[in-house]
Amino acid sequence: MTRALIVIDMQRDFCPGGALAVAGGDELVAPINAMMRDFDAVVLTQDWHPADHRSFAANHPGTEPFSVVQMDYGPQVLWPAHCVIGSAGADFHPGLDLSRADLVIRKGFRPRIDSYSAFFDNDHATPTGLAGYLGERGLRDVTFVGLAHDFCVAWSAIDAAKLGFSATVVESACRAIDLDGSLAAARQSMTQAGVVLA
Ligand code: VGL
Ligand code: ZN
């Protein structure tokens, strides 16, 4: 038991028609379902925000979505409200095969801090518990797919590599938001961190 597939944020709000839609996000459902068979374990992440979350532009009067503000943990992009706890938009895409998922990691539920990575909040310090889970199960080789390539997938893969996991991103099974060159920057950061881009 060594290889885990980590499926990042395959939720309605990140797919076409959703509140923070990533172009082509729904195209990933079938290939990701097919990939699940090839791994010893499957973990899903679920972006899961309270309505008053500080990553939402609506909670910073006078700001627009996709602008950047300074938070005490660093710069933060302000997003349209998305993946609100209990809303339909927070559900997984209805086509995603949930039967193979051993674990669902929810993230972003603390109102004052965002959490792109499956491993840590955006302070890079508050853990989600995923590293402990993978470690206890002996899953040292982790492959990332899902949404969005340049935010939650990239931050997760970089943290995995920094934590000593063997980390791969299957780029054909990811789609990007691509805000001001964020995909190119994310790919460079991933490569620098030792993430394999497959
Ligand atoms: C994500 C922005 C805000 C992601 C989540 O899944 O990449 N991006 N929340
Ligand atoms: Zn979010």
Side-chain angles (χ1 to χ4, degrees), residues 1-4 39-42 100 102 133-141:
M1 293 281 278
T2 58
R3 296 179 69 235
F39 288 82
D40 303 304
V42 176
R100 276 296 324 274
D102 296 344
Y133 177 87
L134 295 171
E136 283 203 56
R137 285 193 57 184
L139 297 158
R140 300 304 305 165
D141 184 323

Side-chain angles (χ1 to χ4, degrees), residues 9 14 20 47 49 79 82 114 116 147-148 151-152 177:
D9 297 2
F14 294 121
L20 180 42
D47 213 37
H49 299 308
W79 303 106
H82 63 278
D114 210 356
Y116 294 153
L147 301 169
F151 286 92
C152 291
I177 297 173

Side-chain angles (χ1 to χ4, degrees), residues 11-86:
Q11 292 164 262
R12 288 180 186 265
D13 268 346
F14 294 121
C15 291
L20 180 42
V22 183
D26 52 341
E27 299 165 7
L28 306 180
V29 172
I32 289 174
N33 285 345
M35 286 177 78
M36 290 179 183
R37 285 187 274 280
D38 301 331
F39 288 82
D40 303 304
V42 176
V43 174
L44 309 179
T45 68
Q46 188 171 26
D47 213 37
W48 194 248
H49 299 308
D52 63 349
H53 198 254
R54 298 294 288 165
S55 77
F56 296 170
N59 295 323
H60 297 256
T63 65
E64 292 296 322
F66 306 107
S67 60
V68 179
V69 293
Q70 204 61 33
M71 306 279 260
D72 48 16
Y73 53 85
Q76 170 71 49
V77 179
L78 296 180
W79 303 106
H82 63 278
C83 299
V84 172
I85 293 174

